[in-house]
C-alpha cells in the first residue's frame, strides 16, 4: 500500500503474459490455476531437457532409470507440487519464475554446443533469465550462475575481444538490459525510484 494505492508486490511479467491479455480478450479475470498448471508443465519439461543435456555432457553412461528418477526428484523437490496444490495468485509468479530459470540455464548450456548459433541460444537464455526476475525480483540472485558459466569462456585466449566473442557477449547482455530498463521504469512510475520494488510497503510483513 503506497500513496493511497494498492500494488502487487511481485513482478509484472505474469500480468503481461496472462492476466492482461485474458482480461482484454474475455473481459474476465484470468484463472490463476490455469497459469500454475501451464507453467508447471513448462518447468517440468525444462527440467527433463536440462538434466538430459547435463547427462549427455558429463554422465554419458547413466541409465535411463537413474535419469528418470533424478529428473522426477528434481521436479518434486523444487516446490512445484506445493504450488500446484495451492494454485492461487500468490503462487503464479513463483511458478513462472521457476520455469523461466530452468529454461534459461538450459538454453545457456545448449548454446555452448552450437557453432554459429551460440549467440542465438545465449540471447534466448538471457531473455528467459531476465523474465524470471520480472516475475519475482529475488530471482536476480540465480542469474549469478552466469559468472561461473561464462567468465572462463569469454576470457580464455581473450575470446571476448574477438568479433564472434563480442557478438556473443552482446547477445548475452541485451535481454538483461532491456528487461531491467522496463522493470526500473515500472518501479519509477509507481514508487518514484527505479530501485524500489515496493517490498517496504508490503502490508503482510514489512509495514
Amino acid at each position: 500500500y503506497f500513496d493511497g494505492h494498492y500494488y502487487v508486490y511481485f513482478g509484472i511479467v505474469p500480468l503481461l503474459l496472462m492476466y492482461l491479455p485474458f482480461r482484454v480478450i474475455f473481459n474476465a479475470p484470468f484463472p490463476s490455476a490455469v497459469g500454475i498448471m501451464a507453467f508447471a508443465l513448462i518447468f517440468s519439461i525444462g527440467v527433463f531437457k536440462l538434466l538430459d543435456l547435463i547427462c549427455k555432457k558429463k554422465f554419458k553412461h547413466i541409465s535411463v532409470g537413474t535419469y528418470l528418477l533424478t529428473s522426477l526428484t528434481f521436479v518434486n523437490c523444487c516446490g512445484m507440487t506445493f504450488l500446484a496444490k495451492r494454485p492461487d495468485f500468490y503462487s503464479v509468479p513463483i511458478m513462472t519464475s521457476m520455469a523461466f530459470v530452468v529454461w534459461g540455464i538450459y538454453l545457456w548450456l545448449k548454446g555452448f554446443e552450437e557453432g554459429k548459433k551460440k549467440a542465438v541460444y545465449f540471447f534466448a537464455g538471457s531473455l528467459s533469465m531476465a523474465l524470471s526476475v520480472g516475475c519475482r525480483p529475488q530471482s536476480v540472485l540465480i542469474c549469478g550462475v552466469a559468472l561461473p558459466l561464462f567468465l572462463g569462456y569469454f576470457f580464455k585466449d581473450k575470446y571476448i575481444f574477438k568479433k564472434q566473442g563480442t557478438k556473443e557477449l552482446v547477445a548475452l547482455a541485451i535481454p538483461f538490459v532491456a528487461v531491467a530498463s522496463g522493470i526500473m521504469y515500472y518501479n519509477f512510475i509507481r514508487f518514484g525510484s527505479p530501485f524500489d520494488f515496493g517490498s517496504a510497503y508490503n502490508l503482510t510483513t514489512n509495514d
Side-chain angles (χ1 to χ4, degrees):
Y1 181 76
F2 177 78
D3 196 24
H5 298 280
Y6 288 104
Y7 295 94
V8 176
Y9 166 59
F10 284 120
I12 195 174
V13 170
L15 168 73
L16 297 177
L17 287 179
M18 296 176 284
Y19 289 89
L20 188 58
F22 195 88
R23 171 71 71 175
V24 171
I25 296 171
F26 299 105
N27 193 30
F30 177 75
S32 296
V34 173
I36 287 286
M37 297 306 169
F39 275 89
L41 178 61
I42 294 171
F43 168 76
S44 299
I45 294 172
V47 167
F48 277 83
K49 293 284 288 183
L50 175 60
L51 292 185
D52 177 61
L53 181 64
I54 292 173
C55 287
K56 287 178 179 178
K57 289 173 68 72
K58 300 293 183 180
F59 308 99
K60 296 181 180 180
H61 301 293
I62 194 173
S63 68
V64 175
T66 302
Y67 159 71
L68 291 175
L69 285 173
T70 304
S71 300
L72 290 171
T73 301
F74 192 140
V75 169
N76 286 289
C77 288
C78 286
M80 189 197 75
T81 50
F82 173 77
L83 297 176
K85 184 179 179 181
R86 197 191 74 173
D88 56 20
F89 178 78
Y90 186 88
S91 300
V92 172
I94 302 173
M95 189 71 257
T96 52
S97 179
M98 288 169 54
F100 281 124
V101 162
V102 76
W103 275 99
I105 296 174
Y106 166 75
L107 290 166
W108 277 346
L109 292 179
K110 182 68 174 176
F112 287 115
E113 298 185 340
E114 302 297 326
K116 295 181 179 180
K117 293 183 180 179
K118 279 185 179 180
V120 176
Y121 279 90
F122 288 168
F123 179 90
S126 291
L127 179 60
S128 189
M129 294 296 282
L131 289 175
S132 75
V133 181
C135 298
R136 199 171 189 227
Q138 296 94 322
S139 296
V140 71
L141 298 175
I142 307 174
C143 294
V145 73
L147 294 177
L149 280 179
F150 291 104
L151 275 179
Y153 173 75
F154 280 113
F155 285 97
K156 183 179 181 181
D157 299 325
K158 298 182 179 180
Y159 182 63
I160 192 174
F161 298 110
K162 298 178 181 178
K163 183 178 179 180
Q164 184 63 25
T166 302
K167 177 182 176 182
E168 292 171 8
L169 181 63
V170 170
L172 195 69
I174 284 178
F176 282 108
V177 174
V179 174
S181 298
I183 293 174
M184 292 169 74
Y185 174 71
Y186 181 53
N187 289 341
F188 178 78
I189 61 175
R190 291 187 300 167
F191 308 123
S193 170
F195 304 104
D196 191 345
F197 287 86
S199 59
Y201 321 121
N202 193 328
L203 294 176
T204 55
T205 57
N206 296 33
D207 191 333

